[in-house]
Amino acid sequence: MQGGAASLAVFLETAPPPLYLVYMLAAGFGIPCSEDALVVWVGSNIFKGVYGGWQGIAYVLSIVYFGVVVSDMVTFFMGVALQKGFFKSLKNSLFSNSNSFDRAINVINNRSRTIGAIQRFSLGFRGPLCLVCGFTGVPPARFALGAAVGALGTMPLQLTVGYYLRHTPNPYLTALAVVSAPNLCGQLLGPIATATGLYFAGKEQPNQQKPGEASATTKSVDS
C-alpha cells in the first residue's frame, strides 16, 4: 500500500494537470486514489508557485473542481446501476417486503435536497453516501448541483491544508496519512451505516395512511 501511494506521488509530480482528472475518475470508480490527498497536494503546489501565475492556477483549479464533481457523479451512477440489477439481492435482504424498501426510498428522497452538498463534507463516508444516493433514487440533477455547491466549500479547506503542508517532504503522502483514519472508518462503517439508515427510514412511518384512507375511514364510521 505504501509502495503504491509512493508511486502515485511520483506520478503526480510529473503528470500534466489534465491527468488529475483521470486520477479523480479512478477514485470515483473505487480505485484507492484519495481525492483529499490530491487536492491538498495541489494546494501545496499552488503556494509553492509550481503552476505559475493566476492563469495557471485558475486552469489547474478548474480541472480539479470538475474532477471532484465528476468523481462524485461516477460513484453516484454506480449506485444507480447496482440498484437496477446487481443489488436486487441486497434489497431483499434489507427488507422483508418491497413496501418497506419503497417507503425508505421515499423518506430519503424527501430529505435529499441538500445531500449532494452534505456528502462533500463527510470525510471517510463520501463514497458510501454517493453510492447510496444513486442506489435509493436521489435525482441526478439535484445530487450534481449539491455536489457542485459543496465542492466550493470543501476545496478551499483542502487547499488550505495544502498551504500548511507545503514545507513537508511530500505533502501528498502526508495528506494520505491524515485522511487514512476517517477513510478506513468509512470503508468499514459505511455499509453498516447505510443499511441501518435505510432500515430505520423504512420503519419511520410504518402506520402512515395513504391519501384518502383517512377520509374513507371517516365515511365508514359515519355510515
Side-chain angles (χ1 to χ4, degrees):
M1 183 66 179
Q2 291 181 349
S7 298
L8 277 176
V10 173
F11 166 77
L12 289 173
E13 289 292 342
T14 57
L19 287 184
Y20 301 170
L21 179 59
V22 177
Y23 178 104
M24 293 290 195
L25 291 175
F29 279 109
I31 297 173
C33 302
S34 173
E35 169 208 313
D36 298 288
L38 176 66
V39 182
V40 168
W41 176 78
V42 168
S44 70
N45 282 347
I46 289 174
F47 292 107
K48 288 189 292 187
V50 173
Y51 304 119
W54 287 109
Q55 185 175 359
I57 292 173
Y59 170 66
V60 171
L61 288 180
S62 64
I63 291 175
V64 173
Y65 175 77
F66 181 73
V68 164
V69 178
V70 171
S71 177
D72 287 347
M73 294 307 299
V74 167
T75 310
F76 174 88
F77 281 114
M78 286 178 63
V80 173
L82 292 172
Q83 192 277 335
K84 290 184 176 181
F86 190 75
F87 263 19
K88 286 184 178 179
S89 59
L90 176 60
K91 173 179 176 178
N92 295 331
S93 66
L94 286 176
F95 301 100
S96 58
N97 60 77
S98 60
N99 290 333
S100 297
F101 190 84
D102 292 338
R103 282 201 306 271
I105 292 176
N106 290 334
V107 171
I108 292 174
N109 285 342
N110 289 336
R111 299 178 178 179
S112 66
R113 294 188 180 279
T114 58
I115 190 62
I118 291 173
Q119 61 84 21
R120 290 297 317 150
F121 293 88
S122 303
L123 181 61
F125 292 87
R126 194 178 295 139
L129 278 175
C130 292
L131 195 67
V132 77
C133 284
F135 184 63
T136 55
V138 174
R142 182 190 301 173
F143 182 85
L145 178 61
V149 173
L152 295 176
T154 56
M155 278 188 56
L157 296 175
Q158 295 163 324
L159 296 171
T160 301
V161 174
Y163 169 80
Y164 287 106
L165 296 181
R166 69 191 187 282
H167 296 308
T168 59
N170 194 314
Y172 178 83
L173 294 180
T174 304
L176 273 182
V178 171
V179 302
S180 61
N183 283 338
L184 180 60
C185 290
Q187 292 169 5
L188 295 177
L189 300 179
I192 298 175
T194 297
T196 303
L198 290 174
Y199 174 80
F200 284 108
K203 295 293 185 180
E204 182 172 320
Q205 297 174 331
N207 298 320
Q208 183 180 13
Q209 292 178 316
K210 296 180 180 179
E213 287 183 349
S215 58
T217 304
T218 303
K219 289 181 181 178
S220 63
V221 172
D222 293 339
S223 61

